[in-house]
Amino acid sequence: MLYYLFQYLEQEFSLTGASVFRFITFRAASAFILSLLISAIYGKRIINFLRKQQVGESIRDLGLDGQVEKAGTPTMGGIIIILATLIPVLLLAKLNNIYIIILIITTIWMGLIGFADDYIKVFKKDKGGLKGKFKVLGQVGLGVIVGSMLYFHPNVTIKEQLPAEQQVVKQNGSKIVYGDAHKSTKTTIPFLKDNELDYAKALSFLGGGYEKYGWIVFIFVVVFIVTGISNGANLTDGIDGLAAGSSAIMVIALAIFAWVSGNIIFANYLDVMYIPNSGEMTVFILAFAGALIGFLWYNTFPAQVFMGDTGSLTIGGIIAVIAIAIRKELLLPILAGIFVVENLSVILQVFWFKFTRKKYGVGRRIFKMAPLHHHYQKLNYHESKIVVRFWIVGVLFAVFAIVTLKLR
């Protein structure tokens, strides 16, 4: 809203300084600061409200140290993250930008699914929460919506570099490096020089004209990634500060990718896919990062509030959608490595237990407990030490992901 207000003031009254709102970097930095302040300052009021409503976490007895003391801690703290993200975005972003619209839809959609899950747990006293099939249905629904918008909306395009012989130097000395904007189902493959993969080619066996069915493969990929990453974030939210801190690291790395992908100069310099209008996502992403960091003020050990599924499902959904929108989803196994490892630890644990029970009559376990962070708790590591070490690993993953911009 402020973007349009200052644009009007600049055009009509030549207001000094109003032009600064045209710059993504200024609005993104402002969004980060504002979201951090909202979550850190007003977060306490929301926590007190949740406490008055007796929105307390009911803890399952897993035999872990410090569990009993956490019973009754307010949950649904993801509301803080959602509000602290959306308010700066509504104030500072271009609200007619398709990528911003998609991210707002993602935030609200996943927030409602998570809220329904937490509501059932807290007020209906059902520890199982929202039935798994409804949760997955909601994730799949979001994947279909996001995939369809990214595929069919006319403003979602890419520009590809022209062959050297087709590049033109204009009279003013500038060079035309990119061709016209066009629709595409291409994405980026890390570590390869000619690093583009076209999802539509999976249907090349259909013969001529297979490209028009590319949306089927693309939407399937979006659904798979949204579901997998949101569940990974949900599993990671098991000890104080782990999910919020790990997510903040991933999100800041994604902000770099989004800004580079939406800036034709840096996209050309780094030889990455140029995605027109995608740079505007930097405003949303940094608002999201600020909200997560501000939330940590109350979520680090000993936590005054838990994010609940309201927060964790929303976080995973947003990270997945950002990565898909900037065509960096194949980097998620590295960038979101913490989520992936947590997911895998559960899958492996369940598979191995069932396999050994069928083969030997007694189920065996790979880890003392899954997800992985509980394994280290069972080894008597203090949860603060586990969290910080996971953050350090997350930083390494993020730096390595950023390095892939030139590591080919």
Side-chain angles (χ1 to χ4, degrees):
M1 295 178 186
L2 290 179
Y3 169 80
Y4 299 104
L5 172 62
F6 281 93
Q7 184 183 51
Y8 172 78
L9 292 174
E10 181 187 7
Q11 291 173 351
E12 297 297 324
F13 304 103
S14 300
L15 180 67
T16 303
S19 61
V20 73
F21 276 83
R22 289 191 284 112
F23 297 102
I24 290 174
T25 47
F26 173 80
R27 288 185 288 115
S30 300
F32 177 84
I33 295 169
L34 181 58
S35 64
L36 195 156
L37 291 175
I38 290 172
S39 57
I41 295 172
Y42 290 96
K44 187 64 176 178
R45 296 185 183 183
I46 295 174
I47 293 169
N48 289 336
F49 174 78
L50 293 172
R51 188 175 285 115
K52 286 180 182 177
Q53 300 301 314
Q54 298 182 333
V55 185
E57 183 76 61
S58 58
I59 304 295
R60 288 185 301 163
D61 186 9
L62 301 175
L64 299 170
D65 290 340
Q67 255 193 310
V68 178
E69 291 82 351
K70 294 185 179 185
T73 301
T75 187
M76 291 189 182
I79 294 171
I80 298 170
I81 299 171
I82 292 171
L83 292 177
T85 300
L86 291 180
I87 291 171
V89 167
L90 293 174
L91 287 173
L92 296 163
K94 294 181 182 178
L95 299 179
N96 63 345
N97 181 284
I98 182 59
Y99 295 106
I100 296 296
I101 293 170
I102 288 172
L103 288 172
I104 290 174
I105 290 172
T106 299
T107 305
I108 296 172
W109 184 285
M110 294 304 292
L112 288 174
I113 295 172
F115 181 84
D117 192 38
D118 288 333
Y119 183 87
I120 292 170
K121 289 177 182 175
V122 174
F123 293 102
K124 302 297 182 182
K125 307 301 180 183
D126 183 352
K127 293 184 180 180
L130 187 66
K131 291 186 181 298
K133 61 182 179 182
F134 294 120
K135 196 181 294 186
V136 171
L137 186 63
Q139 293 166 329
V140 170
L142 177 66
V144 171
I145 292 170
V146 170
S148 299
M149 292 179 75
L150 288 174
Y151 185 85
F152 292 108
H153 197 281
N155 291 337
V156 177
T157 57
I158 68 167
K159 284 189 177 184
E160 297 183 85
Q161 285 197 13
L162 297 167
E165 62 272 12
Q166 295 181 23
Q167 296 179 11
V168 178
V169 178
K170 296 194 290 188
Q171 290 182 347
N172 60 6
S174 62
K175 194 174 185 180
I176 298 176
V177 177
Y178 289 91
D180 295 331
H182 62 278
K183 303 292 295 181
S184 176
T185 52
K186 289 183 177 180
T187 191
T188 304
I189 307 175
F191 308 114
L192 298 182
K193 189 170 184 180
D194 297 320
N195 61 338
E196 291 181 354
L197 169 70
D198 192 344
Y199 289 127
K201 287 187 176 180
L203 301 176
S204 58
F205 66 90
L206 296 176
Y210 69 86
E211 295 91 347
K212 63 184 179 182
Y213 301 109
W215 62 272
I216 298 173
V217 180
F218 181 73
I219 291 176
F220 174 80
V221 170
V222 173
V223 168
F224 177 78
I225 293 171
V226 167
T227 303
I229 298 299
S230 60
N231 283 331
N234 190 228
L235 290 172
T236 304
D237 181 34
I239 50 179
D240 300 351
L242 179 57
S246 300
S247 300
I249 294 164
M250 300 172 201
V251 168
I252 290 170
L254 285 170
I256 295 171
F257 283 114
W259 189 76
V260 167
S261 298
N263 186 298
I264 196 166
I265 297 173
F266 282 93
N268 180 37
Y269 172 71
L270 294 170
D271 191 22
V272 298
M273 187 183 292
Y274 171 53
I275 308 172
N277 305 313
S278 65
E280 189 66 23
M281 281 192 289
T282 312
V283 179
F284 184 101
I285 298 169
L286 284 186
F288 186 41
L292 289 167
I293 293 170
F295 180 74
L296 278 173
W297 188 272
Y298 303 105
N299 187 237
T300 48
F301 183 85
Q304 296 173 254
V305 66
F306 300 138
M307 67 171 66
D309 284 8
T310 306
S312 60
L313 290 176
T314 304
I315 287 170
I318 292 173
I319 289 173
V321 171
I322 293 169
I324 294 164
I326 58 176
R327 318 290 172 119
K328 296 293 184 293
E329 67 272 19
L330 297 185
L331 262 180
L332 283 174
I334 299 172
L335 179 58
I338 298 296
F339 293 171
V340 173
V341 169
E342 294 275 56
N343 240 336
L344 284 175
S345 68
V346 173
I347 293 169
L348 290 172
Q349 185 87 322
V350 172
F351 168 78
W352 188 246
F353 184 85
K354 289 183 177 179
F355 174 77
T356 52
R357 185 173 61 183
K358 185 176 181 180
K359 187 171 183 179
Y360 303 109
V362 178
R364 300 175 184 176
R365 292 176 171 82
I366 301 172
F367 308 102
K368 289 183 176 295
M369 185 179 287
L372 187 61
H373 56 264
H374 288 323
H375 170 77
Y376 290 108
Q377 282 185 287
K378 285 288 188 179
L379 292 174
N380 295 320
Y381 285 85
H382 191 277
E383 63 180 271
S384 292
K385 181 173 285 189
I386 298 169
V387 168
V388 172
R389 288 183 176 177
F390 270 59
W391 287 355
I392 293 169
V393 173
V395 170
L396 290 174
F397 281 147
V399 171
F400 188 44
I402 293 169
V403 168
T404 61
L405 285 169
K406 294 300 288 182
L407 186 63
R408 300 175 197 161

